[in-house]
Amino acid sequence: MKVTAKIGAIEFVGNEVRVAMVKTGRSLPQVLDLQTRTAVYEAPEDRVPAFARALNDALDALRSNPATYVLCVPCNMTVVRALDIPFKGLARVSKAVPFEIEPHLAFPLEELLLDFNVIRESGSTTEVLAVGARKNHLEEQLAILQLAGVEAELAGVDVAGLTSLWLATQKNVKGLRAVLHVRDDSSMLAITHNRALAYFRHLYFGVDALQTDPRRAAREIQNTLRAFMAKWRSDMEFSSLAVTGCSLTVDETEVFEEILSMPVTTTVLMDALKKSRSCTVDRSANFWEAAIGVGFSAGGGGLGFNLMKEAQQAQGAIRAVVAHLMFTACLALLFLLGCAWYYHEGRLRNETLIEQAHDELNFLEGEIEKMAAEGLGADVKVSVFSDPTLLDLLKELTEKLPRGSFHISEIKVNPPDARGGWINIAGSANSAAEFNTAFERLKESSMFRFTEDTNIRLQGEKTTFRLRAFRPEDEIDEL
């Protein structure tokens, strides 16, 4: 879900601090302000204070304050693994990912900041891409933010931000796509399946090395694509390679196309963005695009990795408890002052409501007796009359399954004693990831309950599903 907000994305590159403020909520972010400062220091112990001063200078130069801040983490600080989870369901997969990635780590799991996205579901298996960073690798950047008085709401990965920005500029993202993000000192090769990030790798050649020896760079990309395809269980093939951050010459493009045996296209992502006139844009290789992409993803516009998710959940719970206690204490004082008046008025209201309830009960009993006398029978379950109306059900489904991402093709309401559930719902979603997210919200509804075994299938670009809903008080009949 895209959120309209002003987001400040912070990135540390070498001795530079870069702050990109973007406005999210549309198909592409709007660049409002760009500020960069260089940290100057002599002794190594002065590095963190120098970066904090540079960050404060960059933030003070912003023409307006962002609503929130996010941190852009370089992918060379991360570990990435494609995992096969032997079951479905976002909640179950979330709990299993840490245990599945632990055998691949050379350090304890407790030292890892972890997040993942679902690549696809195949049969009873869920393929996910797990991305993590060792805590001590981010300690310096988090210390700089803390010293500057900045609290980051999210820690995204630069390759995910760049790929999110690239996907937003593409009309067709179906199937396997490969994109090379070139920066000054390094590059990143990302592979997407539909709109999910399936794999990425940090490559140790920048724009100068690529243009000096394009044949070597093309072979490195070819080896990475072949290694990925050796593990990819599908007959899909890469149709082309996209390159962002630099423009290849005709000779360089021919070298890439000869070695990779596929068309190669180049693009500068900044050219597709709407920018404020006051922004000074650096034209070097993906100078600002990584931070802009992470800010765009934080607003719900793309691949939303957050390496600080686990820590934020714990801190958020503590802040919520403290705020709740303070608010409750203030309410308690007001309650004691007006306790007697509320009690008196409440007793009068309750007596009136009790009388109305008795009248309605007597009326309903009389109606039931009339219906029984007309042949309806005494064994009718009157609980069916308390079911929500069809309009209420449709309203609930519309709120949980937003229009544009989901299409409901069938809603079938079964008789009270029918097996297989109370309501059968069939339809399609844009992706399995969107369905899993919406299904978790749907299970929080108080109108009905669901079984865990959902029927999901991939048909072209759509993910079809069929759900069985039960009344909250019904016993679920597993067929």
Side-chain angles (χ1 to χ4, degrees):
M1 178 180 177
K2 295 180 181 178
V3 178
T4 301
K6 291 182 180 180
I7 298 177
I10 301 171
E11 183 181 20
F12 300 99
V13 181
N15 286 338
E16 285 187 343
V17 177
R18 302 173 185 174
V19 181
M21 186 167 70
V22 299
K23 183 177 181 181
T24 62
R26 296 185 178 181
S27 58
L28 284 170
Q30 179 183 359
V31 182
L32 301 179
D33 206 344
L34 300 171
Q35 296 292 335
T36 180
R37 295 293 186 275
T38 301
V40 180
Y41 61 95
E42 296 181 358
E45 58 269 18
D46 296 332
R47 176 179 172 84
V48 171
F51 268 92
R53 289 192 297 271
L55 177 57
N56 276 323
D57 291 343
L59 296 178
D60 291 341
L62 294 176
R63 293 167 182 81
S64 61
N65 293 325
T68 187
Y69 293 96
V70 297
L71 177 64
C72 180
V73 178
C75 70
N76 61 351
M77 287 187 177
T78 65
V79 292
V80 55
R81 290 290 185 276
L83 304 173
D84 292 335
I85 309 299
F87 43 76
K88 294 181 180 180
L90 187 60
R92 299 175 64 194
V93 170
S94 300
K95 296 178 182 178
V97 168
F99 301 100
E100 293 291 335
I101 199 175
E102 187 173 16
H104 302 280
L105 301 177
F107 50 88
L109 179 64
E110 293 75 16
E111 298 180 15
L112 186 69
L113 299 170
L114 182 65
D115 200 4
F116 72 96
N117 74 248
V118 175
I119 301 173
R120 62 179 178 175
E121 292 181 339
S122 177
S124 60
T125 302
T126 303
E127 296 182 35
V128 303
L129 184 70
V131 180
R134 203 166 183 176
K135 292 180 180 178
N136 59 359
H137 289 171
L138 297 183
E139 284 179 353
E140 182 184 77
Q141 296 191 15
L142 296 177
I144 295 171
L145 296 180
Q146 184 177 8
L147 192 60
V150 175
E151 183 176 359
E153 296 293 333
L154 178 147
V157 185
D158 55 0
V159 63
L162 285 165
T163 306
S164 297
L165 210 57
W166 175 75
L167 285 172
T169 64
Q170 302 299 300
K171 295 182 179 179
N172 179 23
V173 295
K174 183 180 178 181
L176 284 177
R177 303 289 300 277
V179 54
L180 177 69
H181 303 296
V182 183
R183 306 196 78 179
D184 287 337
D185 299 324
S186 63
S187 300
M188 294 156 282
L189 180 64
I191 299 173
T192 64
H193 176 255
N194 297 335
R195 287 195 172 273
L197 187 61
Y199 181 73
F200 67 83
R201 183 188 173 199
H202 180 262
L203 303 176
Y204 292 92
F205 61 81
V207 60
D208 292 336
L210 182 147
Q211 294 174 342
T212 301
D213 192 355
R215 189 170 296 276
R216 181 180 179 182
R219 288 199 187 99
E220 186 75 12
I221 296 170
Q222 182 187 47
N223 293 336
T224 303
L225 295 179
R226 285 178 175 176
F228 172 82
M229 292 303 297
K231 298 180 180 180
W232 182 256
R233 296 190 297 272
S234 173
D235 57 356
M236 294 181 179
E237 296 290 342
F238 294 102
S239 59
S240 64
L241 173 71
V243 179
T244 73
C246 71
S247 298
L248 301 179
T249 64
V250 175
D251 293 339
E252 292 166 351
T253 302
E254 290 178 353
V255 170
F256 269 71
E257 292 179 344
E258 175 189 351
I259 295 177
L260 299 176
S261 299
M262 67 176 73
V264 177
T265 60
T266 60
T267 181
V268 177
L269 297 175
M270 186 65 78
D271 292 341
L273 306 180
K274 182 179 179 182
K275 300 171 283 292
S276 174
R277 295 181 179 178
S278 57
C279 292
T280 302
V281 179
D282 193 302
R283 302 297 300 180
S284 59
N286 282 321
F287 189 91
W288 289 109
E289 284 86 337
I292 293 173
V294 170
F296 177 55
S297 298
L303 307 169
F305 288 104
N306 182 9
L307 301 180
M308 296 171 56
K309 182 185 296 183
E310 184 177 343
Q312 286 175 339
Q313 289 174 348
Q315 294 175 0
I318 294 174
R319 289 196 298 265
V321 169
V322 173
H324 179 71
L325 290 175
M326 294 179 63
F327 182 69
T328 303
C330 295
L331 287 181
L333 179 60
L334 296 176
F335 173 77
L336 292 175
L337 294 175
C339 179
W341 184 84
Y342 277 111
Y343 177 79
H344 175 71
E345 292 295 323
R347 181 178 63 83
L348 295 178
R349 286 195 302 269
N350 289 337
E351 289 178 353
T352 302
L353 291 175
I354 290 172
E355 292 179 0
Q356 293 176 353
H358 279 301
D359 293 340
E360 292 178 0
L361 180 61
N362 293 334
F363 174 77
L364 291 175
E365 289 177 349
E367 291 295 318
I368 293 173
E369 291 176 357
K370 291 180 181 179
M371 295 169 68
E374 294 174 358
L376 184 61
D379 58 342
V380 175
K381 293 184 178 181
V382 296
S383 61
V384 70
F385 298 109
S386 63
D387 287 346
T389 65
L390 184 57
L391 289 177
D392 291 334
L393 296 174
L394 291 175
K395 179 181 178 183
E396 184 75 3
L397 291 174
T398 302
E399 292 177 351
K400 304 297 184 182
L401 306 177
R403 183 178 181 183
S405 300
F406 292 85
H407 173 71
I408 298 177
S409 59
E410 177 185 341
I411 299 179
K412 180 181 178 182
V413 181
N414 296 319
D417 296 328
R419 298 187 65 205
W422 171 32
I423 301 172
N424 294 335
I425 306 169
S428 62
N430 289 341
S431 66
E434 291 185 359
F435 170 79
N436 287 332
T437 302
F439 186 50
E440 291 299 319
R441 296 196 305 267
L442 198 59
K443 289 193 293 185
E444 297 175 357
S445 174
S446 60
M447 287 190 178
F448 26 61
R449 293 188 297 163
F450 293 88
T451 57
E452 289 292 334
D453 54 326
T454 58
N455 187 357
I456 309 176
R457 295 181 180 177
L458 294 178
Q459 293 186 357
E461 299 184 23
K462 296 293 184 180
T463 299
T464 63
F465 60 87
R466 183 172 292 276
L467 308 176
R468 292 187 300 150
F470 294 81
R471 295 180 180 85
E473 67 275 5
D474 286 349
E475 294 183 1
I476 296 180
D477 183 15
E478 299 288 352
L479 296 178

